[in-house]
Amino acid sequence: MTNHRFSYFTLFTLFTLFSNIALAQTTDNNDSKAIEKIEVTGSYIDGYGAHSASGASRLDLDIFDIPQSVSVITSAQMQDFQLNDINDALDSATGVNVQRIETDRTYYTARGFDITNFQIDGIGLPLTSGNNHADEDTAIYERVEVIRGANGLMTGVGNPSATINFIRKRPTAETQAKVNATVGSWNNHRIDADVSTPITDNIAARVVAVKQEQDSYLDRYEQDKTLVYGFVEANLTDSTKLSFSHSYLDNKAKGNNWGALPLFYTDGSATNYDTSTNTSADWSNWTVIKNNTVIELSHYFNDNWSLRSTYSHKTTDEDTELFYVFGTPDKETELGLTGYGSEYDLDDEHNLFDVYVSGDFSLFNRDHQVVFGLNYAKMSYTDSSLYDYTTGNGFPPITNLNTWNGNTPKPTFADALTGSDVQTKQKAAYFTGRFNVADGLHIIAGGRFNEWQAQGTSYGVLQDVNNDEFIPYLGAVYEFMPNTVAYASYTETFVSQTQVDINDNILAPITGESREIGVKRQWLNDSLITSLAYFDIEQVNVAIIDPATADFPIAAQRYIGADGINSNGFELDIAGQLTDGLQVSFGYTDFDIDGDETVKAYTPSQLLKLGATYQFQQWDQFSVGINMRWQNKTSRDQGVVGEGFTNAGDTITTTQDAYSVVDLMARYQFNDAITLTVNVNNATDEKYINSLYWAQGFYGAPVNYNATLSWKL
């Protein structure tokens, strides 16, 4: 695909076009004075427009009133395009880049920095290793909130990239049930059920279950996923509510890769394998079991003041047998690669407790909001790695990846036991207030005192860390004309690091500052919201992989602190109902990174996301839609060509040209209960490398299809 540069003029034109359409309809609506307006409240978001985002603060605020860039992936969008795992869902989020480095390990970035803060209903800890393992199903979530930029008030430590907040499904006031059955390419078979019902006048429950089995476009790769989720909620009194929930996820993968394809030959030219090429052995497997229990208690003291406390217990158990391929192949013979087997096991446990009081008060004849909270979190993990240095099966030669069928003797994993035993603690106290200082002007001010401790060892390296920091937050929102606000926000960032350098010394913490200004507008009786933001971020001492160890196995890789990294740019976000029957989610991000040329090269700096569905007005049973993402060209320097070639000494650069992935949808509603949805993914059959985050990579899925039959009560 041609690498088009989206200009600021283009963005201004798009923003103006959407604004004019919406303004014209707003005028039409205002002329219809006789129409009675009925306000309906509830948890379900119908369409692509959302009003609130609870992960941005503990304040009861609309997105319109939050001085940061916020977007929401609604249940409607997830259902329309079968965004059944979080990677597919976040592919649709403005400004988020999903870095699929392997089949079962994924990094996420925004504004040039890794996203490590993932929350469930506003509660969470940074990812243990900065990445997500295995598949995470979206069936239990009502929506996914993406709060871009630093979010020091609610997350404490973390990068100024984004916070992803998953809002879970909860029991409903009336009985409802829905079952989806999906069949698709590569023997994809999935069934999911969602049932909610009152049990008594004061107790209600909701249960979600998923079973999915599928092969893959990748040779030998297949998945078997089981998910069960239950949520029980009880009104103990008129003012006190208690809930208990638990989710269980069992994800079994076979033929998964560890590492990925080599991207260049010894002469520096690019490899070009079949999309289906996989480096896995036929015995490779990766099983991940996750359990999450959450207990919530909320109490209303009166109409203005309330308390909410949450306890979360989450465990992860991983058992793997992995096969890595390293080296650089010769272009003529395809020789030069070697296999590397390992057994890896992980046990991870998170315990989190959060309690806060929120309320309204009057001062100087104006109403204000405040929140005071305490947070305690403890995480411990142990992992181990075993290898085979004695039988000869631990490092077999790979003759030719083009004909590789994964058939290699399974190693005897009994050598060189290494691993980690690490415990971390986070203690925090936070406060924030929204102060109505003048007509149309609100100031949000607060801060969080955060203490972060870690101790233990990881692969023989001491992990002891003890840091504390006060993180201030200041924001302002001014409604300078009806339904239009300008906003600004400032916060500092702080991240304790456990990565070690080439000398096995722990890197110092990351510190920095994050600023953002923008404008938001609501249209069409709040059914459409547009926002345009400019951000400027400065960070120092960000850990990146030491280039000298980039080709090493994961356990042997070391890091360096990249001083002076900063990122600045803008984001445009449009979400909601543009006109009758037309739901739109549009996002465009354009930014620059300074201070680290490697990160700058492999990070897409221009991202465009578009999701849209149209329900025909004359034939309202039929809907069509498009979900697409586009990114600009990325690259990665891979060293220099060795001796013996005419171009010896030339820089080897892997380049992924700009590309787009287009998904299509058509749905027919037979009656109130039964609906058929057909999805075509990567409709143009684009071939692309998923990520250059690492020196290796593998290709994205080619064109594929699925059909979903839905029944609801």
Side-chain angles (χ1 to χ4, degrees), residues 404-615:
W404 170 249
N405 62 5
N407 185 15
T408 184
K410 185 176 179 179
T412 301
F413 298 118
D415 301 329
L417 175 64
T418 59
S420 304
D421 187 353
V422 179
Q423 299 82 40
T424 65
K425 293 181 181 179
Q426 176 180 265
K427 301 175 184 178
Y430 57 88
F431 69 93
T432 185
R434 182 175 186 256
F435 304 102
N436 182 6
V437 297
D439 291 344
L441 176 62
H442 291 84
I443 301 295
I444 297 177
R448 179 182 178 109
F449 179 79
N450 209 82
E451 181 180 293
W452 181 269
Q453 297 175 331
Q455 60 182 12
T457 58
S458 178
Y459 292 86
V461 179
L462 194 65
Q463 297 289 291
D464 291 359
V465 175
N466 192 340
N467 298 121
D468 55 71
E469 190 82 6
F470 177 75
I471 303 169
Y473 183 93
L474 181 64
V477 179
Y478 178 57
E479 187 169 4
F480 61 92
M481 60 183 294
N483 298 315
T484 306
V485 299
Y487 72 87
S489 61
Y490 167 86
T491 188
E492 297 177 2
T493 62
F494 166 78
V495 184
S496 292
Q497 301 189 96
T498 58
Q499 293 92 337
V500 296
D501 62 19
I502 199 70
N503 298 314
D504 288 340
N505 294 320
I506 297 174
L507 296 181
I510 302 169
T511 58
E513 298 179 332
S514 178
R515 308 170 186 86
E516 182 175 326
I517 59 173
V519 60
K520 299 181 182 182
R521 181 170 175 83
Q522 294 183 133
W523 314 86
L524 308 175
N525 294 323
D526 302 344
S527 64
L528 180 76
I529 185 170
T530 58
S531 65
L532 182 63
Y534 174 81
F535 57 88
D536 182 32
I537 302 166
E538 296 178 2
Q539 261 194 344
V540 295
N541 207 46
V542 179
I544 63 171
I545 294 175
D546 188 333
T549 68
D551 294 329
F552 292 3
I554 302 301
Q557 288 180 339
R558 292 297 181 261
Y559 295 82
I560 60 175
D563 291 333
I565 279 187
N566 66 76
S567 167
N568 63 83
F570 74 91
E571 288 171 334
L572 171 66
D573 192 90
I574 301 169
Q577 181 173 295
L578 189 60
T579 187
D580 290 343
L582 179 60
Q583 297 287 336
V584 173
S585 174
F586 175 86
Y588 179 72
T589 304
D590 192 331
F591 64 96
D592 292 312
I593 297 174
D594 292 319
D596 189 291
E597 292 303 315
T598 300
V599 174
K600 181 176 182 177
Y602 72 66
T603 301
S605 60
Q606 293 174 277
L607 295 167
L608 185 147
K609 310 290 182 76
L610 172 64
T613 58
Y614 182 71
Q615 182 178 24

